[in-house]
Amino acid sequence: MIVSSFAPPSAPARSSAPRPLAQPQANPACGPNDEICLSCAPSAAPNWKQLAVSTSAQAAAASAGPAGVALEQPLRMLLIGPPGSGKGTQAKIVDRFFDVPHISTGQILRQEIQQQTELGKAAEPYVKAGQLVPDSIMLPMVDNRLEKEDSFILDGFPRSIAQAQHLDQTLSRQNKPLTCVATLDVNDEIVVKRLLERGREDDTEEIIRARLKVYHDQAEPVMAHYQQQQLLEHIPAEGKVPEVGFNLVTRLNQRLDEN
Ligand code: AMP
């Protein structure tokens, strides 16, 4: 991978300098499977240090002090995983490591609903009912958001072959080929256990299993679509947060090296 100073051409709101990589630091509040502890991530998985020295990114990091990886080429990834697989957490690690914005369609919709924008009002009944928001709303929303970013981690989209085909066309039109489609693989029984332990009121076992079924029905054809394009990376995601993050970042590095 070639590295240079980081200046995302179409993301002016973000810092033009690489952000500091998480520094090893003991944090007593951080447990083994916690929500993210970015401070601990690199130290909790010793391989993080190895990763840093084994990539040419280290050259930039060394010369710039304790800086994050600065990419010359864009990183464009889709993140797929069941509820409770740690997508948000892993997206934060990738963002922290590569300085790439995390775009979550669920989050955008929740924000639009909260602000009661036209889009939010149109999407609200579907989101409240846990149904897919129609493509007539979703596709322009995603197109507009992607237009603003050269690099991105897209989470929550696509959820159907029709959305995947649309995304292919949009990215091809915008001349932004994907780097990778990463799936966080967690056994259903572990997801059920994790979500029950999280203890949210609406997380009964029955509801969790129903959400998992919807996830599999939606995600599997999408995964097959990207498998055909040789973009799919399966990341085992049953381990500890920093280990999963290490694997994910390593695979992304390899993909970038191959480009
Ligand atoms: P999430 O946070 O990804 O689980 O999304 C929350 C809700 O937003 C979903 O239950 C859907 O109602 C809606 N949503 C998010 N992404 C999409 C999408 N790609 N297509 C349709 N609806 C979506």
Side-chain angles (χ1 to χ4, degrees):
M1 180 182 19
I2 304 161
V3 290
S4 71
S5 64
F6 182 79
S10 52
R14 294 177 71 80
S15 156
S16 62
R19 283 184 289 161
L21 251 189
Q23 292 301 297
Q25 218 176 74
N27 177 353
C30 176
N33 277 318
D34 270 347
E35 285 293 299
I36 186 60
C37 172
L38 285 173
S39 305
C40 295
S43 58
N47 288 342
W48 277 89
K49 283 185 190 155
Q50 204 180 310
L51 174 74
V53 283
S54 70
T55 67
S56 48
Q58 179 64 5
S63 61
V69 174
L71 293 168
E72 184 174 79
Q73 59 189 307
L75 171 63
R76 305 183 190 108
M77 71 173 281
L78 309 184
L79 190 56
I80 299 177
S85 60
K87 272 184 300 166
T89 302
Q90 294 305 328
K92 274 188 210 157
I93 291 183
V94 174
D95 179 4
R96 178 79 172 221
F97 198 87
F98 292 109
D99 200 3
V100 171
H102 174 206
I103 301 172
S104 151
T105 47
Q107 236 168 47
I108 297 175
L109 288 168
R110 282 187 288 275
Q111 205 174 6
E112 298 275 348
I113 291 169
Q114 203 195 358
Q115 293 168 355
Q116 284 292 294
T117 61
E118 285 306 307
L119 194 156
K121 285 184 204 160
E124 188 166 14
Y126 300 96
V127 174
K128 289 259 157 79
Q131 290 168 2
L132 287 186
V133 173
D135 282 354
S136 56
I137 299 174
M138 289 308 294
L139 304 184
M141 182 187 101
V142 169
D143 285 3
N144 289 340
R145 187 66 181 83
L146 291 181
E147 186 92 52
K148 299 183 185 125
E149 305 293 353
D150 196 29
S151 288
F152 54 82
I153 306 158
L154 183 57
D155 157 11
F157 191 97
R159 271 168 144 106
S160 65
I161 291 293
Q163 289 187 352
Q165 285 168 343
H166 177 86
L167 183 65
D168 287 352
Q169 283 166 11
T170 296
L171 294 178
S172 157
R173 201 174 53 245
Q174 295 181 4
N175 195 19
K176 295 175 182 168
L178 285 171
T179 312
C180 171
V181 178
T183 72
L184 298 181
D185 295 344
V186 184
N187 179 283
D188 281 3
E189 297 312 309
I190 293 184
V191 167
V192 172
K193 189 166 169 280
R194 276 187 190 175
L195 293 183
L196 283 176
E197 276 170 8
R198 197 170 72 178
R200 265 185 7 200
E201 227 175 79
D202 55 341
D203 280 349
T204 65
E205 180 163 348
E206 201 186 345
I207 292 175
I208 294 168
R209 289 198 187 274
R211 282 165 67 199
L212 271 171
K213 182 175 181 320
V214 171
Y215 166 76
H216 287 299
D217 290 349
Q218 289 169 0
E220 273 154 25
V222 170
M223 287 184 203
H225 177 85
Y226 290 111
Q227 177 72 53
Q228 265 179 3
Q229 298 182 21
Q230 298 182 326
L231 283 168
L232 204 65
E233 288 283 359
H234 283 282
I235 310 294
E238 292 176 1
K240 293 178 182 167
V241 164
E243 289 163 2
V244 176
F246 172 77
N247 271 330
L248 177 57
V249 168
T250 303
R251 301 285 262 282
L252 291 175
N253 255 332
Q254 286 164 352
R255 286 272 172 177
L256 288 165
D257 271 340
E258 287 160 18
N259 281 344

